[in-house]
Amino acid sequence: MEGMSYLTVGYLGMILGIAIWTWTVFARSKNLEARISAIETSMGKEYIEADSIALQSTINEEN
């Protein structure tokens, strides 16, 4: 192979690698969002709101 052919194959491989990595990151992100949503649903909205209020009061105390 000529030098430009090696370079072309290298760039195509790099683009393919980045595409696979990006797809994996988005797939894991979607899976994580689904798991968080399921946890929030199973715990109930009241618990989430109470936890949010407690977090806000803790932040306000630190300031």
Side-chain angles (χ1 to χ4, degrees):
M1 285 168 90
E2 200 175 311
M4 288 297 283
S5 298
Y6 283 117
L7 188 61
T8 302
V9 170
Y11 274 117
L12 290 175
M14 191 169 53
I15 290 169
L16 179 64
I18 291 171
I20 291 171
W21 177 80
T22 302
W23 179 80
T24 303
V25 167
F26 280 106
R28 287 181 181 173
S29 175
K30 185 184 288 187
N31 185 19
L32 185 60
E33 284 290 328
R35 291 172 65 185
I36 290 171
S37 178
I39 290 171
E40 287 176 346
T41 302
S42 69
M43 292 174 72
K45 188 175 180 181
E46 299 83 22
Y47 180 80
I48 301 298
E49 289 175 354
D51 192 36
S52 176
I53 292 170
L55 179 61
Q56 288 175 356
S57 66
T58 303
I59 292 172
N60 289 337
E61 289 174 2
E62 289 177 357
N63 292 330

